Amino acid sequence: MERIVNEVEGDKGKSIQMISPGIDEKSVSYRAGYVNSNDSNTLNGGMLIVSFEGELIKHIELPFVPTYFLTQE
């Protein structure tokens, strides 16, 4: 996960802090919410979707900080 965080930080030029991990067994992926650490005046963040093999599937930036994930069964 550290490699993926460093990759996202380098690509976006932002510092992020992981806060809400989760597993989605249906899509066989790991989900991790984060907060942008660069600006203490705003609370925005995003979500990383990572395969169980450790590859970044998708990076979604959000105008809020995701604190938990709901999955549909």
Side-chain angles (χ1 to χ4, degrees), residues 17-21 31-36 43-48 60-70:
Q17 180 181 356
M18 306 307 290
I19 58 167
S20 53
R31 298 180 182 215
Y34 68 84
V35 61
N36 287 321
L43 283 177
N44 58 19
M47 179 175 80
L48 303 176
I60 303 168
E61 293 186 71
L62 299 167
F64 59 91
V65 178
T67 56
Y68 62 92
F69 302 103
L70 298 175

Side-chain angles (χ1 to χ4, degrees), residues 25-66:
E25 292 179 12
K26 185 175 182 180
S27 68
V28 190
S29 64
Y30 178 78
R31 298 180 182 215
Y34 68 84
V35 61
N36 287 321
S37 304
N38 289 20
D39 188 0
S40 61
N41 294 326
T42 61
L43 283 177
N44 58 19
M47 179 175 80
L48 303 176
I49 302 174
V50 180
S51 72
F52 285 168
E53 290 78 29
E55 297 300 319
L56 180 62
I57 297 170
K58 192 165 191 178
H59 172 215
I60 303 168
E61 293 186 71
L62 299 167
F64 59 91
V65 178

